[in-house]
Amino acid sequence: MANPASPSTPDKKRATSATVRGRDLLTLLQKLRQRGEDASEALPALIAAAERATASLIGGEHRQRRAGSGENFWQFREYQSNDRPQDIDWRQTAKGERVFVRQKEWQTAQTVLFWVQNDAGMHFRSSINLPSKFESAVTLCLGLGMMLTKSGEQIGPLDGSIRVGRGEQGVQSLGLALLAEKRRAAEHALPHPDTVTPNASIVLCGDFLGDPDELDRNLTAIAGQQRHGVLVQVLDNAERTLPWTGRVIFTGMGDDALETIENVDSIREEYRTRLDNHLDAVRRVARRHGFEWVLHDTSLPASTTLAQIWGALSPHGDTERMV
């Protein structure tokens, strides 16, 4: 007679399998909770940094810069036959021989979605006095989020993990989503296009030091759905300048890989040339997909880059600047 408690019975196998799945789920939940707690601890400092960065910038509405039914003056233009007589600006018209109408800006809330590259390389900093590239990128996103929500815009993460929001709660939720984002195996893997809100503006922050062709492929999937996009390339100052001299041992991020350069001075010029070529390649990829390109150096104030991103989000933005 078979023993019903035998491990070979189907019922026992199913019970064992269910137990394993239950343990796996518990482990996953514990990891997610820990990740959320870690993000909550880091968020206040990053929000404070973002507040400092935005303090020096002039607040105000983030406008669409096109004619519409808003309340704020945009520009004068010459009167046309289909214009309403009440739109004529008689003071401006009296200055010359032509009749002018006063156009106002179209003011509608827009949605801006954020993504931050979160691999091992993004956590590099060349000095304890500098923020990591990841911290800088999140600070830029939060600062921009503060400016946007004060203008009535909606913000959220690109991956759709939380709903878009406004105000202080929207900034808090965005920060937690960016900090708790799971690191992806592929360095530049962007969210699936199905999670991207159509017709939203998109801000992508990362070092983008991987293969530009890979970046090109990743942008192809989401670029067609966006209203406007800005790609912010974040680099540590040491990555831009290679400031060391003599014999230097370089270590990999997150592994034990070592690379010894006997005389860094001898390769500095070639290194900078290769980096410049790479930056040009990333910039071309961004422009090919309709994204503006901004370069941020982690050793410089975030406020300068924030002003550039703010300008680049304008539909008429044409920003290719190196900070």
Side-chain angles (χ1 to χ4, degrees), residues 194-208:
D194 288 347
T195 67
V196 180
T197 303
N199 298 318
S201 296
I202 296 174
V203 177
L204 308 176
C205 291
D207 62 18
F208 302 108

Side-chain angles (χ1 to χ4, degrees), residues 37-52:
E37 291 174 353
D38 292 343
S40 299
E41 292 175 1
L43 186 59
L46 292 173
I47 285 183
E51 288 175 340
R52 289 193 297 271

Side-chain angles (χ1 to χ4, degrees), residues 149-206:
T149 56
K150 287 179 180 179
S151 301
E153 318 289 19
Q154 302 180 113
I155 60 173
L158 184 62
D159 64 5
S161 57
I162 61 170
R163 296 181 62 181
V164 296
R166 293 188 176 95
E168 182 177 345
Q169 183 59 48
V171 174
Q172 291 273 347
S173 297
L174 173 64
L176 288 173
L178 294 178
L179 289 171
E181 183 180 13
K182 183 180 180 181
R183 296 185 183 182
R184 296 178 174 85
E187 289 187 357
H188 307 302
L190 296 174
H192 192 278
D194 288 347
T195 67
V196 180
T197 303
N199 298 318
S201 296
I202 296 174
V203 177
L204 308 176
C205 291

Side-chain angles (χ1 to χ4, degrees), residues 7 14 41 78 108 137 141 176 188 221:
R14 284 195 293 269
E41 292 175 1
E78 194 168 352
T108 58
C141 290
L176 288 173
H188 307 302

Side-chain angles (χ1 to χ4, degrees), residues 25 30 55 85 95 105 111-112 137 139-140 143 148 166 171 178 183 213 225 239 262 267 283 295-296:
L25 180 59
Q30 291 173 338
K95 296 178 181 180
E105 289 180 301
T111 298
V112 182
T139 298
L140 290 172
L148 289 166
R166 293 188 176 95
V171 174
L178 294 178
R183 296 185 183 182
D213 291 336
Q225 301 190 59
E239 293 175 319
E262 296 297 336
I267 67 167
R283 179 168 50 201
L295 177 62
H296 176 67

Side-chain angles (χ1 to χ4, degrees), residues 14-218:
R14 284 195 293 269
T16 302
S17 177
T19 302
V20 171
R21 285 197 298 270
R23 289 173 180 169
D24 289 345
L25 180 59
L26 180 60
T27 301
L28 176 60
L29 290 174
Q30 291 173 338
K31 288 181 179 179
L32 290 174
R33 180 177 179 179
Q34 184 61 52
R35 189 179 299 145
E37 291 174 353
D38 292 343
S40 299
E41 292 175 1
L43 186 59
L46 292 173
I47 285 183
E51 288 175 340
R52 289 193 297 271
T54 59
S56 61
L57 301 177
I58 299 175
E61 280 188 305
H62 181 66
R63 303 188 181 102
Q64 301 291 327
R65 304 303 297 175
R66 58 191 175 95
S69 57
E71 298 180 354
N72 294 294
F73 169 72
W74 177 21
Q75 66 179 6
F76 292 113
R77 67 164 175 80
E78 194 168 352
Y79 178 82
Q80 299 174 1
S81 59
N82 59 343
D83 287 325
R84 302 182 306 170
Q86 58 264 41
D87 290 334
I88 296 176
D89 189 282
W90 295 107
R91 179 174 297 181
Q92 184 69 19
T93 299
K95 296 178 181 180
E97 299 179 354
R98 295 182 294 172
V99 179
F100 288 93
V101 297
R102 187 182 185 90
Q103 281 191 312
K104 297 178 180 179
E105 289 180 301
W106 183 278
Q107 294 169 291
T108 58
Q110 67 170 307
T111 298
V112 182
L113 305 177
F114 296 84
W115 176 83
V116 172
Q117 180 184 334
N118 190 6
D119 56 24
M122 282 293 290
H123 293 267
F124 170 73
R125 73 182 80 206
S126 60
S127 168
I128 60 173
N129 297 319
L130 292 177
S132 70
K133 292 184 289 184
F134 179 75
E135 291 170 342
S136 293
V138 173
T139 298
L140 290 172
C141 290
L142 292 175
L144 189 60
M146 292 174 186
M147 297 168 67
L148 289 166
T149 56
K150 287 179 180 179
S151 301
E153 318 289 19
Q154 302 180 113
I155 60 173
L158 184 62
D159 64 5
S161 57
I162 61 170
R163 296 181 62 181
V164 296
R166 293 188 176 95
E168 182 177 345
Q169 183 59 48
V171 174
Q172 291 273 347
S173 297
L174 173 64
L176 288 173
L178 294 178
L179 289 171
E181 183 180 13
K182 183 180 180 181
R183 296 185 183 182
R184 296 178 174 85
E187 289 187 357
H188 307 302
L190 296 174
H192 192 278
D194 288 347
T195 67
V196 180
T197 303
N199 298 318
S201 296
I202 296 174
V203 177
L204 308 176
C205 291
D207 62 18
F208 302 108
L209 291 177
D211 184 357
D213 291 336
E214 182 185 351
L215 175 62
D216 193 7
R217 290 189 294 272
N218 285 321

Side-chain angles (χ1 to χ4, degrees), residues 4-18:
S6 171
S8 61
T9 62
D11 289 343
K12 184 65 176 180
K13 288 183 178 179
R14 284 195 293 269
T16 302
S17 177

